[in-house]
Amino acid sequence: MWSRFTSHLYVRIWLAVVATVVVLAFLMGAAWQLSTDPPQLPIREVLVHNQAGELIGRAQTRADRKLGDGMEFDLVTRDGQVLNLELPRPKRPPRNAWSRAPFGFGWMLGVVALAVALGAYPIIRRLTQRLEGLQRGVERWGSGDLSARVAVQGSDEVAFLAERFNHAAERIETLMESQKALLASHKSLLANASHELRSPLARIRMGLELMGGGAGSAQRAEISRSISELDQLIDEILLASRLDARQADAEPFETVDLTGLAAEECARVQADLGTATQTESLTLQGSARLLRRLIRNLLENARRYSNGEISLELAQTGAGAQQRAVIRVNDRGPGVPADQRERIFEPFYRLPGASEREGGVGLGLALVKSITARHGGKVRCEDRPGGGASFVVELPMPATA
């Protein structure tokens, strides 16, 4: 409780001010007491007269009499007789212990500290409230609300900081809006251009089919392969544009047999299929077309970079609302460096040193990430024991009763 109370800036400043005043008051009181000489008591004199009014003796108090001692006189009469006269201190009623030193001084310090505390609190609280407002604005802005601004009050350093923050936030918001508009325009242009390329590609493919065979059959095969790659690239660009524009959300989700999809795609590229599920098939809610493209892109990526065997494994983890279907595609390729395992899922990014003969333009894994996100899952790349890479996709499954 105390730690939470003192975690506020205004409380720490307030306590520091009060403690400083108390310490200064104690030091000043101690210095005052040390510098003050003990009081010198006056010398008192007593005169003794007889009945006739004649002075028969006199005496004075001792010079070394201390504060609090009674008065004592050594009286010598005219006939040489020495009399000891003592006047004890009068008995007073007992005083309250809190009113005696050092408690009287302590009460004074308490009053001073209370006055300082009451006077300093509203000033310090007003200052720290502005700092807390600045903190809340920065937290809102950091959480993604780029429209967050803070109120500018006064003309001191806090107001200057709030004004500069608002200026920087406004500039960043403007730049982000410009970037979004430019990116949307770029994606729209790319999608439209890709769509328009379908027609000339279809005419080229038709003309190639109408060409006769002969010595140019090798060239025809190369042209046909290039046309197929262009056609696949256009299809991936269009699908990526629809996913970015949320057009794929219009596709209704249905119950998909993930095991059947995986078996069909593994048979197409001669990949091994392994399952670790309790049932014969693994089903989930999703788009069959998008999930097929996800599995196909993972298998084609593994086949492109692997010279050995590739495999696909299906598993099920968790229970209840935490159930997840796991797709793991393994290859025996060169693997992916640790510092590149996030970037390979960026559009049009290829690993350094990737050659043209391996094909691909860097959209396959970006589509895998988009499709996975569309289904509320996650994808990652790991090292495969013995060499190679493993691409792991986790997709949520409906809870079974």
Side-chain angles (χ1 to χ4, degrees):
M1 181 64 182
W2 174 253
S3 60
R4 292 184 59 186
F5 176 70
T6 56
S7 64
H8 298 287
L9 178 61
Y10 71 90
V11 174
R12 294 201 298 268
I13 297 176
W14 180 61
L15 291 177
V17 172
V18 173
T20 302
V21 172
V22 172
V23 171
L24 286 176
F26 270 113
L27 292 177
M28 290 177 63
W32 176 71
Q33 289 184 352
L34 291 175
S35 62
T36 303
D37 295 331
Q40 181 68 38
L41 296 179
I43 297 176
R44 305 297 299 272
E45 187 177 17
V46 63
L47 302 176
V48 179
H49 298 268
N50 60 12
Q51 189 175 5
E54 298 175 349
L55 179 64
I56 62 174
R58 64 193 314 163
Q60 293 180 343
T61 57
R62 295 192 303 269
D64 59 349
R65 185 167 63 94
K66 297 180 180 179
L67 183 66
D69 293 343
M71 289 188 292
E72 185 177 355
F73 303 91
D74 292 329
L75 179 67
V76 181
T77 62
R78 285 187 301 178
D79 56 0
Q81 189 177 4
V82 179
L83 302 177
N84 183 263
L85 181 62
E86 183 178 357
L87 298 178
R89 287 180 60 85
K91 294 184 178 180
R92 298 177 180 177
R95 299 169 61 187
N96 189 349
W98 290 99
S99 64
R100 296 197 300 266
F103 298 108
F105 185 67
W107 277 109
M108 182 189 69
L109 291 181
V111 172
V112 171
L114 180 61
V116 172
L118 294 177
Y121 180 84
I123 301 174
I124 296 172
R125 189 69 185 106
R126 178 175 175 81
L127 172 63
T128 54
Q129 277 181 338
R130 295 164 59 199
L131 292 175
E132 290 173 359
L134 180 61
Q135 177 188 8
R136 288 191 295 269
V138 173
E139 289 178 348
R140 283 179 53 201
W141 188 82
S143 63
D145 184 8
L146 298 183
S147 63
R149 300 292 185 271
V150 296
V152 180
Q153 300 176 357
S155 58
D156 54 6
E157 291 82 355
V158 178
F160 176 78
L161 182 60
E163 183 179 357
R164 299 309 300 170
F165 168 78
N166 290 340
H167 179 68
E170 184 176 357
R171 290 190 60 186
I172 293 176
E173 184 181 15
T174 303
L175 289 175
M176 291 299 294
E177 293 296 333
S178 300
Q179 183 182 14
K180 288 181 181 179
L182 181 62
L183 185 61
S185 176
H186 171 72
K187 290 180 178 179
S188 177
L189 177 63
L190 189 61
N192 292 335
S194 301
H195 187 271
E196 294 298 327
L197 284 174
R198 281 285 176 85
S199 297
L201 277 178
R203 291 194 296 269
I204 293 174
R205 181 179 287 107
M206 184 178 297
L208 188 65
E209 294 295 331
L210 294 176
M211 291 175 58
S217 58
Q219 288 80 359
R220 287 185 57 200
E222 180 64 24
I223 294 173
S224 179
R225 187 184 67 83
S226 299
I227 292 175
S228 298
E229 290 183 358
L230 281 174
D231 196 25
Q232 181 180 0
L233 172 61
I234 291 171
D235 186 51
E236 290 181 345
I237 292 175
L238 291 175
L239 179 56
S241 300
R242 287 196 296 269
L243 288 173
D244 289 337
R246 299 295 182 182
Q247 294 180 6
D249 291 347
E251 296 187 10
F253 275 18
E254 57 185 356
T255 301
V256 179
D257 182 4
L258 195 60
T259 305
L261 286 181
E264 294 175 5
E265 293 302 318
C266 286
R268 192 177 65 86
V269 295
Q270 289 79 45
D272 297 330
L273 174 64
T275 59
T277 58
Q278 300 292 335
T279 58
E280 296 181 356
S281 62
L282 192 63
T283 59
L284 51 79
Q285 293 294 316
S287 168
R289 186 175 69 89
L290 295 180
L291 290 175
R292 182 183 295 276
R293 172 55 66 91
L294 181 147
I295 296 174
R296 178 173 298 181
N297 284 5
L298 287 176
L299 290 173
E300 289 182 351
N301 181 77
R303 178 63 69 192
R304 183 178 298 118
Y305 292 99
S306 176
N307 295 324
E309 52 88 17
I310 61 175
S311 62
L312 186 149
E313 301 174 1
L314 294 177
Q316 179 178 339
T317 62
Q322 301 297 324
Q323 278 191 355
R324 305 184 79 82
V326 180
I327 306 171
R328 182 183 295 270
V329 176
N330 308 306
D331 63 54
R332 290 298 182 188
V336 180
D339 58 343
Q340 302 288 327
R341 291 175 187 169
E342 293 292 333
R343 297 204 61 191
I344 57 175
F345 295 102
E346 297 176 4
F348 300 106
Y349 180 80
R350 301 179 67 187
L351 287 174
S355 60
E356 291 297 331
R357 66 178 179 81
E358 292 167 343
V361 294
L363 270 180
L365 293 179
L367 282 176
V368 169
K369 184 176 181 179
S370 297
I371 295 172
T372 303
R374 170 72 178 86
H375 288 79
K378 298 179 181 179
V379 60
R380 65 181 183 275
C381 177
E382 300 175 348
D383 279 331
R384 184 184 184 187
S390 293
F391 288 85
V392 184
V393 177
E394 295 184 2
L395 302 173
M397 299 179 61
T400 57

